[in-house]
Amino acid sequence: MTVEAEGAAGRSGSPGGWPGGADTSRGASRYLPVAEHGLIGDLRSAALVGTNGTIDWYCCARFDAPSVFASILDADKGGSFELAADVPARTKQFYFPDTNVLITRFFADDGVGEIQDFMPVVDDSREADRHRLIRRVVCVRGSLPFHARVAPRFEYGTQPHTVHVQDGQAIFETPSLALALTSTVPVEVTGQDVWSLFKLHEGESAVFALDRVGGGVAPRFCALSEAEQQFNATVRYWRRWLSRSRYRGRWREMVHRSALTLKLLTYAPTGAIVAAPTTSLPEQIGGERNWDYRYVWIRDAAFCVYAMLRLGFTDEAEAFMGFLTEHISREQPRSAGPIGPLQIMYGIDGRHELPEREVPHLEGYRGSAPVRIGNGAVKQLQLDIYGALIDSLYLYDKWGQPISSGHWDSICDLVDWVCNHWDQPDEGVWETRGGRKAFLYSRLMCWVAIERAMRMARHRGLPADLVRWGRARDAIYRRIMRRGWSDKRQAFVQYEGGDVLDASLLMMPLAKFISPTDPKWLSTLDALGEDLVSDSLVYRYDPQASPDGLRGEEGTFSICSFWYVEALTRAGRLDEARLAFEKMLTYANHLGLYAEEVGQTGEQQGNFPQAFTHLSLISAAFNLDRALG
């Protein structure tokens, strides 16, 4: 049995809305906890499947498309695809070993059944636009009645649709999108929805398949035999992909689950990597810290490339290089812009405009409004992205393929710009909306940008103005050591002239800016442990001491918790590091997935699952494992 399956053994629930189900009255009970979900996808879009068998988040046919199912953001208006035992049942959920095929099991008095949820990964260009979501129901013991209700609500629940049965298929249609539902059991249409009641005996199965149609893609029935074939093909795809991993350490199950999750967050047509597949899952219930993460953050994607390269997955790094070349590098130089030659984020197709708007039609997860589409932070100045990007290019050059001459010219343009602008105040890594400051982390990553480029130039004999670059690099170093240090706190601080601590400082030894055993760093590590660490969990900063322009509080930031593990590891405090890491693993959900933050009582908060968290888990596991020997 896999770790994921064992983790599922202690979790139980019952489907809401049917006999014996959960209370469906208005309020929090209408929403599953964020952690009670698994993720499936086809490298173009993704869906969240609850432990109750309901798909309550799905965007077709790309991550950033308007939602089809969004009941996680509004239980009444968002739309969902319910499928569950039609009697009281306990549920358990796990991934088919070494894959992204999700199994939800139902344990009832008269039998045991399961739903196998997956989205085939299609390489055939003739089928690439189909975007098929398959739900195969199997009765494995006894007999069980099942209930299905397919209730799409297009354009975040704002666009009406028609539904009609044609050649044994139910077609849901809007002016911009049409979906075809095929089923091996009878279905009926009621209003805008399709439903089915059916019973299976031991060994019997039923299949529901939801396909995007139009644009040259015709509806196609999904028979039991085809579902079996596509199930096996999908399993083979994920196992073949994962077999390329070089990780053989102590935490193989968790590391590989994180790698599989990161792969699900890649957009195959362009090589883009999204920060998360969801929007507006709150950092605090009832708060306003609700953001759309279905875009390519340069920082997040660059860190993701590092994690993938660590495990031996060079294709994903190469694909992201392709994304940079096709959609970003071609614009340089564009240094006359107010935010420099790069935006902090782009659309998965490379587009620049991501206008942020609110969707008042949806109430938000457990009433946490507003629901936001787009992201206004796209226009922020965040200088740290240059260090993250050039560090990932340096590692790609080292562990993947040598950097091309065209890439090197682009890197030189970026480094020249950083040399001229590193001392500007900016919004910082945490995208604060409380005004620009001289953030230390931004300075640190500008140092990384120049230092890594100098390494590449020397190693490869590439042309570079090393004298000028070296002067800027050294000026940044001295500025950080002089103005980023607080005698009062005996620690490095969030921004120049302040006394506020910030967990991003944990990157100082990780980026090789300072020795992990330097007295100043060890004093900073102790100060961070006292101020920002709670049972191995790390807060980003104290918003009361450093106002960020937003109301409310937030949970601990999981990437910072894994950075803390790595900082302890590099400082030689291996017992503390291992305990902190093992504790962090207990905060994962039953499938090994993490959101962005962990709340006061251990609940997952924010968009889910989060690339930032999973890539930092991989890095912490790799480095701790190596240190332990």
Side-chain angles (χ1 to χ4, degrees), residues 129-130 173 177-180 211-219:
D129 290 331
R130 182 171 294 280
E173 196 162 13
L177 179 65
L179 298 176
D211 290 6
R212 186 180 78 162
V213 295
V217 179

Side-chain angles (χ1 to χ4, degrees), residues 286-513:
E288 65 171 340
R289 298 170 185 265
N290 317 321
W291 314 112
D292 192 348
Y293 276 12
R294 299 171 297 159
Y295 307 113
V296 186
W297 268 255
I298 293 294
R299 173 193 311 109
D300 301 44
F303 282 159
C304 187
V305 166
Y306 161 77
M308 290 297 209
L309 286 170
R310 266 293 183 208
L311 300 180
F313 296 109
T314 56
D315 288 352
E316 287 66 33
E318 186 174 349
F320 183 62
M321 295 303 113
F323 175 80
L324 293 175
T325 301
E326 175 67 21
H327 299 290
I328 298 176
S329 296
R330 65 184 180 185
E331 300 167 13
Q332 295 175 5
R334 193 171 61 87
S335 56
I339 57 172
L342 295 181
Q343 295 184 174
I344 68 163
M345 73 179 90
Y346 296 85
I348 57 176
D349 53 4
R351 72 186 187 279
H352 296 232
E353 299 300 321
L354 306 172
E356 183 176 304
R357 63 184 176 91
E358 297 182 2
V359 185
H361 182 74
L362 300 178
E363 73 170 11
Y365 176 76
R366 291 179 57 186
S368 301
V371 170
R372 290 186 172 96
I373 307 302
N375 200 306
V378 69
K379 299 302 183 184
Q380 288 190 354
L381 174 65
Q382 297 177 19
L383 294 169
D384 68 283
I385 65 172
Y386 297 96
L389 177 59
I390 294 177
D391 189 43
S392 72
L393 293 169
Y394 161 75
L395 294 172
Y396 178 69
D397 181 72
K398 182 178 179 181
W399 296 334
Q401 297 293 325
I403 289 292
S404 69
S405 57
H407 276 137
W408 179 247
D409 289 341
S410 297
I411 290 171
C412 289
D413 288 342
L414 292 178
V415 175
D416 287 340
W417 187 88
V418 170
C419 288
N420 290 330
H421 296 87
W422 64 265
D423 59 349
Q424 293 183 71
D426 69 346
E427 275 87 5
V429 61
W430 305 131
E431 301 181 355
T432 59
R433 301 194 178 194
R436 294 180 177 180
K437 293 185 174 71
F439 287 109
L440 187 150
Y441 182 78
S442 299
R443 307 282 189 267
L444 167 70
M445 296 307 287
C446 285
W447 178 91
V448 169
I450 302 170
E451 197 274 338
R452 298 302 191 269
M454 292 177 70
R455 284 196 196 189
M456 275 192 281
R458 291 194 179 106
H459 175 66
R460 297 272 310 281
L462 295 168
D465 190 347
L466 292 178
V467 174
R468 177 170 177 261
W469 289 5
R471 282 198 301 266
R473 178 198 62 183
D474 295 348
I476 298 172
Y477 178 88
R478 294 190 182 99
R479 177 81 161 259
I480 289 174
M481 299 303 284
R482 185 171 67 252
R483 299 193 194 178
W485 173 262
S486 167
D487 287 327
K488 176 182 176 182
R489 301 301 304 268
Q490 285 296 292
F492 291 103
V493 290
Q494 185 182 62
Y495 55 88
E496 293 179 3
D499 291 315
V500 178
L501 297 181
D502 190 306
S504 65
L505 306 180
L506 290 163
M507 278 292 291
M508 294 180 76
L510 276 56
K512 297 181 170 56
F513 175 87

Side-chain angles (χ1 to χ4, degrees), residues 16 23 86 165 179 183 235 272 334 355 442 489 557:
D23 176 16
D86 200 41
V165 176
L179 298 176
S183 171
V235 167
R334 193 171 61 87
S442 299
R489 301 301 304 268
F557 219 67

Side-chain angles (χ1 to χ4, degrees), residues 12 38 56 109 120 129 131 145 162 193 209 283-284 325 390 406 506 523 545 567:
S12 63
D56 56 15
D109 290 342
D129 290 331
H131 301 288
T162 60
D193 305 340
E283 297 175 17
Q284 180 189 31
T325 301
I390 294 177
L506 290 163
S523 177

